[in-house]
């Protein structure tokens, strides 16, 4: 047909090319690769969460069982985590010292083209998995998100070696680098069941330039991972259906008043400074131990004396019959986050919305004589220092989760203060909309973790984690402010670690 | 201090550099620039929405006022939009024909480094704004999202010319390109009050490579824009506080059962084919008019006869006393979307959850004799063709919104069918969780618009638009499937337009 325009021919030619590309065996392999990667990571993440929860529960169960003897009770509370930490240190040291630390700084280096030898092997995988499980099982304030980025990259590398015989070398070299992007995304996504946040976070922390055509890989893999991860929870009868990991139940018809934005901005500003301070304190701790080379050349000191001292100190601080009462010591980090995001007003001891069925979850935070504000402040200060200290230990450890938790507690503190100052909220209409302190906790968590890691995508993670997006603008504003301040004052924690290690 | 390690010095040196960079006047200018850009775009978007709503309301008011005379009623219903469309065509033709179309394909070309002359001038801005307002005011099934990407880029260019005297030329060249990225993001964000989705969507549709360090610019500007846009709604007493644009109120404790995922996957598959078909139909329409060059060389044909025919056809089809009854003809696109996302089950004429206060919003969709399924099917088929036809007219027009609306209707159709087939849902426990057809509408909207534009970020837009993220996994899965199928069959609508125009 001569009247058929050339443009349309072009379109059709392009489209034929795309179709050819799509139906090539390589693409099918790639889809399968990403799917299986997602499922494997979900299984690993779920299995690890399960084991960690059992360890933490066993710890608390032992504590309760021994309530007749105060000495024995204290002794087990301290020794139990100590064994776990020493096992983690020993295991990682013997199997593969490469597994120490978060993994995100190293992945960032690898994504920039630097070759780190022996960093993505099966040995490292085993060391990281076992070491991490036992370290978090000890209730140390560390997370599993950074290590999971590392673990996902190892799994992708190992899977790639299996696929290698079926494809040519040059194709493979090319796709391996693309796979790392997807692997980092799936690593984050499997942790928080946050596919979108996972993709964005992994781009922000590992990449400098980013090809849009690779975007779908990360998404596809992350969705498979997050989906499988939540599906496992349903199959284990923990959940009735697929929902968010830390589901919140805030009021959606009037989430916050405009005047509350001032408080949200304040959270952002404070989080920015606190995030920079966290990076600074962490570096100072590392520097302090480096400054005493005569002591620290000593293996015993690095691998035994320091960890033992840190572990005993932390266990003593969080001991539920002692100071732990003032910082919700009996709760696991997961329970702490659940309660911080809840839908009550602790200070007023009342529910925000009577129609929402909520359980009285402040038990862990309540103290007969000390009020909730003091508890929260003590928790924030001690955990700020403990987290900065814990991530300097020679174990696999994530930085995101402890910072996220501190941020949530800080947000909660501001929210409770607001709720006490303005018990009936700001709204001037007929209906009274009380202040939702849980919403402040969400804003605080996103902005402090955003400040420490220099990422904006923590805001997306927080929506996916809570299953609610009603506080989108406060969260975004606070995260942007916190980022601006933290970036002005300090490098990100990951860059700081890269620079220290170099 | 000699023991101070070199690494720490490096850190401090880098941090001093960053701080210096941050406090330079250029960065302050940039922040202000992005802030003002966001606010201007929010004002433009709000003003345009306001005017469009008034036009659409006036149209319906006239229709109601003339209810005594059937002839006059029909006449005004048809002539009113005709005048608006002809005004839009004439205005754009006289002031600047560059304003015709979406703008996204052109911005994509510009972002790739091609210089399009006279494409980002004040004349184009005026033509696009006025032409678009009057075209959408006529109730044509077109959107304002694509044009807003274009408008934001023009505003950024014009603002940049004002800033030019204060900075050196080389700096400026560099930053202008970065600004376009932020401008595209703010353009989308101001439309849907969706900052995150806006940033991602603009990256997906305009960029091929993307520097992570520019990421915050888009976010900052988009947040300012979205915030100002919603703030204007509060100040105009339309809303009590800042909330989502098309707020939904779905059940969060049990959003969907696992078995419903099969239906969501089906929506994804169908949307993929439908999206490809839309691109194909649109191209065939363009081709059809190009094939008759003897007629279409004629200015009258292109600028008068075709638009008049299209306008009369559409008005007749949607005439509320005629066929319009079968496709919610009396509702504006905004009202249609609001009702499609509502929390009822139309087919069963009952509420999903008695405790949620909802209004009976299916009025527009209900017909005394024809059931809701037929209404939805008729709506989908007619609007599919009408939208494909409308975007070929020589007016400024966005493609996203009409496709989004059709997708929502299709999702609703599936949801209503599911709710009729399984009136008590799938859950086997004590409590009955009925199926939420509105959730299906959300999935359908995201996946069809994702398929047509070849983007994954429609899923993020849909969460920000509805203010709920409970359906995250169904939406992500459906969007990914729809994308895979649509990308396999056809280029994206924007690429198709680029190829046709070349």
């Amino acid at each position: 047909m001569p009247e058929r325009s050339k443009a349309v021919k072009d379109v059709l030619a392009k489209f034929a090319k795309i179709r050819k590309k799509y139906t090539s065996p390589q693409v099918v392999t790639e889809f399968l690769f990403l799917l299986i990667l997602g499922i494997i990571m979900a299984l690993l993440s779920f299995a690890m969460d399960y084991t960690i929860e059992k360890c933490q529960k066993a710890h608390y169960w032992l504590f309760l069982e021994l309530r007749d003897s105060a000495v024995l009770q204290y002794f087990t509370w301290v020794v139990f985590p100590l064994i776990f930490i020493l096992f983690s240190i020993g295991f990682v040291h013997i199997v593969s010292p490469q597994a120490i630390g978060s993994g995100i700084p190293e992945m960032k280096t690898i994504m920039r083209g630097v070759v780190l030898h022996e960093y993505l092997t099966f040995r490292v995988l085993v060391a990281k998995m076992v070491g991490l499980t036992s370290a978090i099982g000890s209730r140390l304030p560390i997370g599993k998100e950074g290590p999971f980025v590392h673990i996902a990259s190892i799994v992708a590398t190992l899977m790639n070696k299996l696929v290698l015989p079926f494809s040519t070398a040059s194709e493979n070299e090319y796709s391996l680098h693309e796979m790392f992007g997807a692997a980092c995304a799936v690593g984050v996504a499997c942790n928080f069941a946050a596919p979108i946040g996972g993709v964005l976070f992994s781009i922000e922390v590992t990449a400098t330039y980013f090809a849009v055509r690779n975007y779908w890989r990360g998404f596809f893999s992350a969705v498979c991972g997050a989906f499988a991860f939540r599906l496992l929870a349903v199959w284990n009868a923990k959940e009735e259906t697929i929902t968010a990991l830390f589901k919140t139940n805030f009021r959606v018809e009037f989430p916050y008043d405009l005047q509350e934005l001032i408080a949200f901005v304040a959270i952002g500003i404070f989080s920015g400074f606190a995030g920079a301070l966290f990076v600074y304190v962490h570096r100072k701790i590392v520097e302090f131990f480096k400054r005493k080379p005569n002591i620290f050349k000593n293996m015993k000191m690095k691998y035994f004396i320091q960890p033992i001292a840190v572990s005993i100190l932390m266990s003593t601080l969080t001991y539920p019959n002692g100071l732990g009462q003032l910082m919700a010591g009996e709760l696991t980090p997961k329970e702490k986050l659940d309660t911080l995001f809840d839908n009550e007003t602790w200070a007023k001891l009342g529910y925000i919305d009577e129609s929402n069925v909520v359980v009285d979850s402040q038990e862990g935070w309540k103290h007969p004589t000390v009020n909730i504000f003091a508890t929260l402040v003590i928790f924030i200060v001690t955990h700020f220092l403990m987290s900065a200290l814990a991530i300097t230990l020679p174990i696999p450890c994530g930085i995101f989760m402890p910072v996220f938790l501190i941020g949530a507690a800080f947000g909660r503190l501001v929210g409770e203060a607001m709720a006490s100052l303005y018990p009936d909220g700001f709204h001037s209409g007929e209906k009274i909309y009380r202040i939702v302190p849980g919403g402040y906790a969400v804003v605080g968590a996103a902005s402090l973790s955003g400040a420490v890691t220099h990422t904006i995508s923590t805001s997306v993670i927080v929506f996916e984690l809570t299953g609610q997006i009603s506080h989108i603008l406060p969260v975004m504003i606070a995260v942007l402010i916190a980022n601006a301040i933290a970036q002005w004052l300090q490098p990100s924690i990951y860059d700081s670690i890269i620079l220290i290690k170099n």
Side-chain angles (χ1 to χ4, degrees), chain A residues 431-475:
Chain A
K431 207 177 161 189
I432 287 175
Y433 291 116
R434 293 209 207 143
I435 284 166
V436 183
Y440 287 73
V442 169
V443 174
S447 53
L448 188 63
S449 51
V452 170
T453 58
H454 285 200
T455 55
I456 307 167
S457 51
T458 51
S459 50
V460 184
I461 291 178
V462 91
F463 301 137
E464 293 182 275
L465 213 52
T466 59
Q468 282 204 298
I469 201 165
S470 50
H471 283 71
I472 177 161
L473 279 171
V475 168

Side-chain angles (χ1 to χ4, degrees), chain A residues 214-231:
Chain A
N214 290 340
Y215 192 57
W216 70 267
R217 276 175 239 270
F219 261 105
F220 178 72
S221 198
V223 167
C224 293
F227 179 64
F229 180 61
R230 294 309 287 159
L231 204 60

Side-chain angles (χ1 to χ4, degrees), chain A residues 219-293:
Chain A
F219 261 105
F220 178 72
S221 198
V223 167
C224 293
F227 179 64
F229 180 61
R230 294 309 287 159
L231 204 60
L232 286 166
V234 178
W235 284 341
N236 276 273
K238 278 189 156 181
E239 302 272 357
E240 283 194 312
T241 188
I242 288 179
T243 54
L245 207 55
F246 291 99
K247 200 170 56 192
T248 57
N249 200 15
F250 303 143
R251 191 177 56 212
V252 288
E253 71 274 18
F254 192 89
Y256 52 90
D257 195 88
L258 280 183
Q259 296 175 61
E260 292 180 61
L261 280 172
I262 298 161
F264 293 127
V265 168
I267 292 178
I269 294 170
F270 184 89
S271 294
F273 285 108
L277 184 68
F278 185 85
V279 176
Y280 179 78
V281 167
H282 169 258
R283 201 169 56 236
K284 282 286 150 191
I285 293 172
V286 174
E287 207 183 321
F288 171 79
F289 288 125
K290 272 196 179 166
R291 231 190 253 175
K292 318 272 181 211

Side-chain angles (χ1 to χ4, degrees), chain A residues 23-45:
Chain A
T23 42
S24 75
Q26 211 214 329
V27 169
V28 177
T29 323
E30 209 176 329
F31 262 107
L32 277 175
F33 185 99
L34 294 170
L35 177 70
I36 295 169
L37 177 64
I39 293 171
I40 291 178
M41 288 310 298
L43 283 167
L44 291 180
S45 178

Side-chain angles (χ1 to χ4, degrees), chain A residues 247-250 263-264 267 270-271 328 335-353 358-363 365 372-377 379-380 403-421 435-448:
Chain A
K247 200 170 56 192
T248 57
N249 200 15
F250 303 143
F264 293 127
I267 292 178
F270 184 89
S271 294
E335 288 166 348
K336 279 177 191 144
L337 207 51
D338 261 332
T339 50
L340 287 169
F341 285 167
D342 75 7
N343 206 4
E344 294 173 47
T345 312
W346 297 347
K348 287 279 149 185
L349 303 179
Y351 298 111
I352 290 162
D353 185 351
V358 278
V359 271
D360 186 31
S361 64
Q362 52 150 351
E363 277 300 325
W365 297 91
I372 209 81
F373 297 104
T375 323
L376 282 167
V377 169
F379 173 84
I380 293 164
V403 172
F404 193 81
L405 188 58
I406 297 164
F410 173 67
R412 186 90 207 186
L413 178 68
V414 176
E416 294 291 341
M418 290 291 285
S420 301
L421 287 172
I435 284 166
V436 183
Y440 287 73
V442 169
V443 174
S447 53
L448 188 63

